[in-house]
Amino acid sequence: MTTRRELAVLAAAASALRGAFGPAPAEAQPLTGTPTPPVFRYTTPMPSGVVMPATVETGFGRLNFFDGVPDADSTRLIYDNLDRQRALQAYLLALPAVNQAANRNAVLSVGPVNATVPIWEGRVDSRTVELTANDNTPYTWFWVDLRNGPLVVEVPPGVLGLINDMFYSWVADVGITGADRGRGGKYLLLPPGHRGAVPEGYTVVRPKTFQNWFAWRSFPVNGDFRPAIESVKRRTKIYPLSRASNPPRLTFVDMSERPFNMVGPSDFRFWEMLNDVVQVEPSSASDPVTLGFFASIGIQKGKPFQPDARMRRILTEAAVAGDATARALAYRARDPEARIFSDRRWRYAFQGGYLFQHQPGVGNLDARAFFFFLATGVTPAMDTKIVGEGSTYPWTAEDSNGNAFDGGKTYRLHLPGPVPVRTFWSTIVYDTQTRSMLQTDNRFPSVTSQNPAVQKNADGSVDIWFGPTAPAGRESNWVQTIPGKSWFMILRLYGPLQPWFDQSWKPGDIEPQG
């Protein structure tokens, strides 16, 4: 039997132990109302925050516990909340894969894989619904599938391109920044896990996924794109390694001015497209945490995706919440490091580099989700910091006052002169809904230094106008917008020069007029 003296000693020890822990830290949900447990011979005093109260209020409802065990109704609320949270995070993590799946499905609607090559001979225009494509140069854009074995892709000379895998990881560059250095070359793609002999005479590429996307741009000769287009159609080849001596003929499809959608849905079909990717591609192409999020909502390699009515409702709601979250991350960024200049609204496209990292080994989840919601194509060449090389993509969805752009108003962008580029610059306007070129009466919703009609001011600066009607005499420097619709704009600098890197040159904010 415990004596009063022993109880007093235990109480004093408990008081001293609580003092040793110091003041209780601030808690997101203070634990209050817990009855003091009886003190026995071997009782260890507990610091604040260990014992669960009988009732707590949360953002998703009141939870009731019997000595730390949730009751049936509380258990249901807790699991609903857990599944909603995991589904939202799974959505943001899945944006690259579903983005690619939508891209692939659209391209394969044109013709069979490994045999069909879409090409925008007249440049991509606003009839093509594709995430932030540009209208500066012709695109060649196709998919390859390695499930039947090694594949050879012959890349023509003079192009600038990339290979991305099904999870939107960079695989390799081709053309000017690739191993062939713009001379053209043969790239041998080996399937994941390939163990066979590798012949010589090829640039060997080992993607982590079976399905991979090629895209490249071609450049004009004395202002004429036709020689480049003819070279692509004559020199591009795709064939199994086993048919190297007798490659099959490719079908090229001109997509110019053709209505075409490559942007994926943000409803329940999002999850079905993700499941298709997970079932086809090796798990080693992703990472355990990402695949764990997918598995937690019922998407796991080798298992059927069959959500019950409750989970289907949660996933449908999560797709809406995920789309809304991606839009906030894209158009209303809260991270001050997203801004290029402390006194401007311009933002980085690759925040944390093309790997989207806060620091080496630490992913920037917000930057990654925003990019793959808004854009296509990942390569170090788009993130180079070499003067006169590569390209950079400052962009903004806000005017000088921090407001979203209103298509019914007129705005002006001032580019001080000279614009520091070795090659050329362009400004392209995009639809905030589709993240694709704004569809108006203008085939190309852009102003670019490639156009000799663009007007310069006496000091070499350029003023660009955005609005429903062109300012008098400024038609060549104007992009049409639509009342009732918002928009955003990307300023592309090809071959940026030192004033861009040392920030001695800055584009003005886009300012509302009148």
Side-chain angles (χ1 to χ4, degrees):
M1 179 176 179
T2 305
T3 66
R4 290 184 178 180
R5 178 180 176 80
E6 289 170 328
L7 287 173
V9 170
L10 284 171
S15 177
L17 185 58
R18 283 192 295 272
F21 280 96
E27 299 170 301
Q29 172 60 56
L31 300 179
T32 59
T34 304
T36 303
V39 178
F40 297 98
R41 182 186 298 273
Y42 293 103
T43 296
T44 299
M46 289 294 107
S48 173
V50 173
V51 176
M52 173 63 76
T55 300
V56 294
E57 297 290 345
T58 71
F60 55 93
R62 174 177 291 182
L63 305 179
N64 300 307
F65 297 85
F66 169 65
D67 200 28
V69 180
D71 65 17
D73 287 341
S74 299
T75 299
R76 177 182 55 79
L77 288 174
I78 290 167
Y79 277 125
D80 280 354
N81 180 63
L82 178 63
D83 289 341
R84 279 193 297 268
Q85 289 186 13
R86 285 184 172 165
L88 174 59
Q89 296 305 320
Y91 185 97
L92 298 177
L93 290 169
L95 280 168
V98 177
N99 178 332
Q100 283 288 57
N103 172 357
R104 176 206 60 196
N105 292 353
V107 170
L108 297 190
S109 73
V110 177
V113 71
N114 299 345
T116 309
V117 178
I119 181 170
W120 280 259
E121 297 185 21
R123 297 180 289 153
V124 178
D125 57 45
S126 54
R127 282 201 174 104
T128 296
V129 180
E130 170 54 10
L131 300 176
T132 56
N134 77 63
D135 61 15
N136 304 131
T137 54
Y139 275 123
T140 303
W141 185 296
F142 59 92
W143 280 82
V144 297
D145 193 321
L146 306 178
R147 279 178 283 185
N148 290 328
L151 204 68
V152 177
V153 176
E154 294 191 16
V155 176
V159 302
L160 177 67
L162 53 78
I163 311 170
N164 282 179
D165 72 14
M166 198 66 204
F167 287 98
Y168 245 131
S169 296
W170 176 68
V171 176
D173 281 351
V174 298
I176 294 169
T177 55
D180 64 282
R181 292 293 182 259
R183 296 184 295 270
K186 297 180 180 181
Y187 289 76
L188 173 60
L189 281 73
L190 302 178
H194 179 77
R195 295 290 183 269
V198 178
E200 296 182 355
Y202 299 93
T203 296
V204 177
V205 180
R206 295 180 181 270
K208 293 181 179 180
T209 61
F210 291 106
Q211 301 168 100
N212 297 274
W213 170 58
F214 275 74
W216 63 63
R217 292 185 285 136
S218 300
F219 300 94
V221 177
N222 297 322
D224 186 357
F225 286 112
R226 284 176 296 180
I229 297 298
E230 291 169 1
S231 173
V232 167
K233 295 170 77 171
R234 185 175 66 256
R235 302 284 294 273
T236 303
K237 293 182 174 60
I238 305 170
Y239 51 87
L241 180 61
S242 59
R243 295 195 60 182
S245 61
N246 184 29
R249 180 182 294 274
L250 287 178
T251 298
F252 289 87
V253 181
D254 185 7
M255 304 299 293
S256 302
E257 297 192 76
R258 175 173 174 171
F260 193 59
N261 176 50
M262 290 186 273
V263 177
S266 57
D267 53 24
F268 187 79
R269 290 171 295 167
F270 180 96
W271 305 111
E272 294 171 327
M273 293 172 72
L274 173 62
N275 181 63
D276 175 70
V277 174
V278 169
Q279 298 306 325
V280 169
E281 301 300 349
S283 296
S284 57
S286 185
D287 64 89
V289 173
T290 296
L291 294 177
F293 271 102
F294 298 164
S296 73
I297 59 170
I299 296 176
Q300 190 170 357
K301 190 174 181 65
K303 296 186 178 182
F305 176 48
Q306 298 174 335
D308 58 19
R310 167 189 165 275
M311 198 63 196
R312 190 179 182 94
R313 172 179 54 80
I314 287 174
L315 290 174
T316 300
E317 293 173 355
V320 175
D323 185 60
T325 302
R327 290 175 184 277
L329 293 172
Y331 304 136
R332 296 294 194 184
R334 62 183 179 179
D335 185 353
E337 293 185 2
R339 290 193 181 184
I340 301 173
F341 312 104
S342 61
D343 60 344
R344 298 286 195 279
R345 299 287 174 180
W346 296 97
R347 290 180 50 193
Y348 291 104
F350 294 109
Q351 187 183 347
Y354 81 99
L355 294 175
F356 310 105
Q357 295 183 337
H358 288 291
Q359 54 182 277
V362 181
N364 187 327
L365 299 180
D366 288 357
R368 179 181 183 274
F370 128 70
F371 182 87
F372 289 112
F373 171 76
L374 211 70
T376 55
V378 175
T379 165
M382 297 169 69
D383 188 37
T384 182
K385 293 179 174 57
I386 301 174
V387 173
E389 299 295 331
S391 51
T392 192
Y393 303 86
W395 75 285
T396 184
E398 297 175 323
D399 68 16
S400 56
N401 300 316
N403 297 318
F405 294 115
D406 180 343
K409 297 180 179 179
T410 297
Y411 299 84
R412 181 180 70 101
L413 166 63
H414 181 70
L415 299 179
V419 180
V421 292
R422 184 174 63 85
T423 311
F424 66 92
W425 58 263
S426 78
T427 60
I428 303 179
V429 170
Y430 296 94
D431 186 323
T432 50
Q433 290 284 14
T434 65
R435 294 90 73 198
S436 304
M437 290 184 204
L438 189 66
Q439 295 182 329
T440 66
D441 293 327
N442 293 342
R443 180 183 174 193
F444 300 114
S446 61
V447 174
T448 172
S449 62
Q450 294 170 298
N451 179 4
V454 168
Q455 301 175 39
K456 292 183 179 180
N457 301 319
D459 61 358
S461 65
V462 179
D463 290 318
I464 301 169
W465 301 84
F466 310 90
T469 57
R474 300 287 185 174
E475 288 80 5
S476 63
N477 288 42
W478 165 72
V479 180
Q480 183 182 8
T481 60
I482 305 170
K485 281 196 66 62
S486 191
W487 52 274
F488 67 94
M489 195 275 284
I490 299 177
L491 169 62
R492 288 176 166 88
L493 304 176
Y494 293 97
L497 301 177
Q498 185 60 35
W500 166 257
F501 291 103
D502 63 24
Q503 297 195 358
S504 60
W505 181 90
K506 300 178 187 179
D509 277 331
I510 300 178
E511 299 179 346
Q513 303 297 296

